[in-house]
Amino acid sequence: MKNGMLRRVVILASLIFSTWVVAAPMREDVSYQKDVSPILHDYCLSCHELNGKGFDKSGLDMRTYQSLMKGTQFGTIINPGSSLTSILIQVIEGRVHPAIKMPLGMNGGMAKDKIELLKKWVDQGAKNN
């Protein structure tokens, strides 16, 4: 009787574990070059490059990883490992004053899937990969 019960427990545990492993989402690293840079290009660079309105007002140049990580004349905008406390994400999500919600003048804001990708990149450490 004990062997039969033990066998059932082992089988049940194996089924639960294998279901969990299959259902668990794969952790894919977000690439700055492949994923983040194109988003910044499409949504941000028209203002945040040298001589752009956003650059003139804040000093934020988003053309390169290094300039993005440097931030604005007021300080950094990315806190690697924390999308919650990163100014970039706060501004894009509209968690700041409406006058500085970005991208400026874009009705509806940035696409939600793009925001989630940026958040994931920041949460993964905002690597230059």
Side-chain angles (χ1 to χ4, degrees):
M1 192 63 126
K2 286 186 177 183
N3 285 343
M5 180 66 101
L6 180 60
R7 184 171 181 235
R8 285 187 209 143
V9 169
V10 169
I11 290 171
L12 182 60
S14 297
L15 285 172
I16 291 170
F17 179 74
S18 64
T19 302
W20 174 78
V21 169
V22 170
M26 299 283 284
R27 179 192 160 127
E28 291 184 33
D29 285 342
V30 177
S31 164
Y32 174 79
Q33 294 299 324
K34 229 175 58 181
D35 304 310
V36 175
S37 184
I39 295 171
L40 300 179
H41 179 272
D42 292 348
Y43 286 91
C44 309
L45 276 186
S46 62
C47 291
H48 290 284
E49 62 181 351
L50 296 178
N51 300 319
K53 287 181 183 181
F55 177 79
D56 291 343
K57 288 184 177 182
S58 69
L60 179 58
D61 178 4
M62 299 178 90
R63 292 176 300 153
T64 68
Y65 174 82
Q66 290 76 17
S67 62
L68 175 65
M69 296 307 285
K70 181 180 175 186
T72 72
Q73 62 191 8
F74 308 107
T76 60
I77 62 167
I78 296 175
N79 181 8
S82 178
S83 61
L84 184 65
T85 61
S86 292
I87 301 298
L88 174 69
I89 304 303
Q90 292 176 20
V91 167
I92 290 170
E93 286 186 320
R95 292 190 278 137
V96 294
H97 192 278
I100 58 173
K101 183 182 184 312
M102 298 292 153
L104 193 61
M106 180 175 268
N107 289 340
M110 185 180 285
K112 291 188 188 310
D113 63 322
K114 306 295 185 201
I115 295 171
E116 291 305 313
L117 201 56
L118 291 174
K119 288 170 63 175
K120 186 174 179 182
W121 174 71
V122 171
D123 288 336
Q124 291 177 352
K127 297 178 219 143
N128 185 11
N129 54 357

mmCIF file of all heavy atoms in Angstrom, residues 11-25:
data_model
loop_
_atom_site.group_PDB
_atom_site.id
_atom_site.type_symbol
_atom_site.label_atom_id
_atom_site.label_comp_id
_atom_site.label_asym_id
_atom_site.label_seq_id
_atom_site.Cartn_x
_atom_site.Cartn_y
_atom_site.Cartn_z
ATOM 1 N N ILE A 11 4.349 10.353 -9.373
ATOM 2 C CA ILE A 11 3.777 10.595 -10.699
ATOM 3 C C ILE A 11 3.065 11.947 -10.725
ATOM 4 O O ILE A 11 3.248 12.743 -11.646
ATOM 5 C CB ILE A 11 2.819 9.452 -11.114
ATOM 6 C CG1 ILE A 11 3.625 8.175 -11.382
ATOM 7 C CG2 ILE A 11 1.998 9.853 -12.339
ATOM 8 C CD1 ILE A 11 2.775 6.935 -11.593
ATOM 9 N N LEU A 12 2.278 12.232 -9.711
ATOM 10 C CA LEU A 12 1.565 13.504 -9.636
ATOM 11 C C LEU A 12 2.544 14.677 -9.575
ATOM 12 O O LEU A 12 2.388 15.670 -10.289
ATOM 13 C CB LEU A 12 0.631 13.527 -8.429
ATOM 14 C CG LEU A 12 -0.211 14.787 -8.253
ATOM 15 C CD1 LEU A 12 -1.106 15.011 -9.468
ATOM 16 C CD2 LEU A 12 -1.038 14.704 -6.991
ATOM 17 N N ALA A 13 3.557 14.558 -8.756
ATOM 18 C CA ALA A 13 4.566 15.615 -8.645
ATOM 19 C C ALA A 13 5.275 15.818 -9.986
ATOM 20 O O ALA A 13 5.534 16.953 -10.410
ATOM 21 C CB ALA A 13 5.574 15.285 -7.553
ATOM 22 N N SER A 14 5.586 14.737 -10.678
ATOM 23 C CA SER A 14 6.241 14.822 -11.989
ATOM 24 C C SER A 14 5.350 15.533 -12.997
ATOM 25 O O SER A 14 5.817 16.361 -13.781
ATOM 26 C CB SER A 14 6.588 13.427 -12.513
ATOM 27 O OG SER A 14 7.512 12.807 -11.668
ATOM 28 N N LEU A 15 4.067 15.223 -12.985
ATOM 29 C CA LEU A 15 3.124 15.873 -13.898
ATOM 30 C C LEU A 15 3.012 17.364 -13.610
ATOM 31 O O LEU A 15 3.019 18.191 -14.528
ATOM 32 C CB LEU A 15 1.747 15.218 -13.799
ATOM 33 C CG LEU A 15 1.611 13.854 -14.457
ATOM 34 C CD1 LEU A 15 0.256 13.237 -14.105
ATOM 35 C CD2 LEU A 15 1.771 13.960 -15.957
ATOM 36 N N ILE A 16 2.915 17.710 -12.348
ATOM 37 C CA ILE A 16 2.820 19.118 -11.965
ATOM 38 C C ILE A 16 4.084 19.859 -12.379
ATOM 39 O O ILE A 16 4.029 20.932 -12.979
ATOM 40 C CB ILE A 16 2.553 19.267 -10.455
ATOM 41 C CG1 ILE A 16 1.141 18.773 -10.129
ATOM 42 C CG2 ILE A 16 2.753 20.716 -10.014
ATOM 43 C CD1 ILE A 16 0.855 18.657 -8.650
ATOM 44 N N PHE A 17 5.254 19.280 -12.098
ATOM 45 C CA PHE A 17 6.518 19.920 -12.433
ATOM 46 C C PHE A 17 6.657 20.079 -13.941
ATOM 47 O O PHE A 17 7.032 21.141 -14.433
ATOM 48 C CB PHE A 17 7.702 19.126 -11.875
ATOM 49 C CG PHE A 17 9.026 19.739 -12.210
ATOM 50 C CD1 PHE A 17 9.448 20.894 -11.565
ATOM 51 C CD2 PHE A 17 9.837 19.194 -13.196
ATOM 52 C CE1 PHE A 17 10.667 21.482 -11.882
ATOM 53 C CE2 PHE A 17 11.058 19.766 -13.512
ATOM 54 C CZ PHE A 17 11.475 20.912 -12.861
ATOM 55 N N SER A 18 6.344 19.043 -14.715
ATOM 56 C CA SER A 18 6.501 19.133 -16.171
ATOM 57 C C SER A 18 5.527 20.146 -16.763
ATOM 58 O O SER A 18 5.867 20.859 -17.700
ATOM 59 C CB SER A 18 6.338 17.763 -16.827
ATOM 60 O OG SER A 18 5.032 17.269 -16.634
ATOM 61 N N THR A 19 4.332 20.254 -16.212
ATOM 62 C CA THR A 19 3.380 21.264 -16.674
ATOM 63 C C THR A 19 3.892 22.658 -16.356
ATOM 64 O O THR A 19 3.823 23.563 -17.180
ATOM 65 C CB THR A 19 2.004 21.048 -16.004
ATOM 66 O OG1 THR A 19 1.553 19.733 -16.306
ATOM 67 C CG2 THR A 19 1.001 22.071 -16.491
ATOM 68 N N TRP A 20 4.450 22.830 -15.177
ATOM 69 C CA TRP A 20 4.988 24.127 -14.783
ATOM 70 C C TRP A 20 6.139 24.523 -15.690
ATOM 71 O O TRP A 20 6.238 25.651 -16.141
ATOM 72 C CB TRP A 20 5.430 24.085 -13.329
ATOM 73 C CG TRP A 20 6.116 25.343 -12.900
ATOM 74 C CD1 TRP A 20 5.524 26.524 -12.579
ATOM 75 C CD2 TRP A 20 7.518 25.556 -12.766
ATOM 76 N NE1 TRP A 20 6.469 27.466 -12.255
ATOM 77 C CE2 TRP A 20 7.706 26.888 -12.364
ATOM 78 C CE3 TRP A 20 8.635 24.756 -12.956
ATOM 79 C CZ2 TRP A 20 8.963 27.425 -12.147
ATOM 80 C CZ3 TRP A 20 9.877 25.302 -12.721
ATOM 81 C CH2 TRP A 20 10.031 26.615 -12.325
ATOM 82 N N VAL A 21 7.049 23.605 -15.987
ATOM 83 C CA VAL A 21 8.209 23.899 -16.836
ATOM 84 C C VAL A 21 7.753 24.287 -18.237
ATOM 85 O O VAL A 21 8.250 25.241 -18.821
ATOM 86 C CB VAL A 21 9.180 22.689 -16.883
ATOM 87 C CG1 VAL A 21 10.228 22.871 -17.956
ATOM 88 C CG2 VAL A 21 9.836 22.499 -15.531
ATOM 89 N N VAL A 22 6.787 23.569 -18.794
ATOM 90 C CA VAL A 22 6.299 23.863 -20.134
ATOM 91 C C VAL A 22 5.549 25.195 -20.157
ATOM 92 O O VAL A 22 5.685 25.986 -21.086
ATOM 93 C CB VAL A 22 5.386 22.724 -20.649
ATOM 94 C CG1 VAL A 22 4.687 23.115 -21.924
ATOM 95 C CG2 VAL A 22 6.205 21.459 -20.840
ATOM 96 N N ALA A 23 4.775 25.479 -19.119
ATOM 97 C CA ALA A 23 3.957 26.691 -19.090
ATOM 98 C C ALA A 23 4.755 27.934 -18.705
ATOM 99 O O ALA A 23 4.346 29.044 -19.011
ATOM 100 C CB ALA A 23 2.795 26.514 -18.118
ATOM 101 N N ALA A 24 5.898 27.761 -18.055
ATOM 102 C CA ALA A 24 6.689 28.914 -17.617
ATOM 103 C C ALA A 24 7.219 29.664 -18.833
ATOM 104 O O ALA A 24 7.754 29.060 -19.748
ATOM 105 C CB ALA A 24 7.849 28.449 -16.747
ATOM 106 N N PRO A 25 7.049 30.991 -18.864
ATOM 107 C CA PRO A 25 7.526 31.739 -20.017
ATOM 108 C C PRO A 25 9.055 31.718 -20.077
ATOM 109 O O PRO A 25 9.729 31.774 -19.059
ATOM 110 C CB PRO A 25 7.010 33.165 -19.761
ATOM 111 C CG PRO A 25 6.728 33.224 -18.308
ATOM 112 C CD PRO A 25 6.434 31.831 -17.865
#
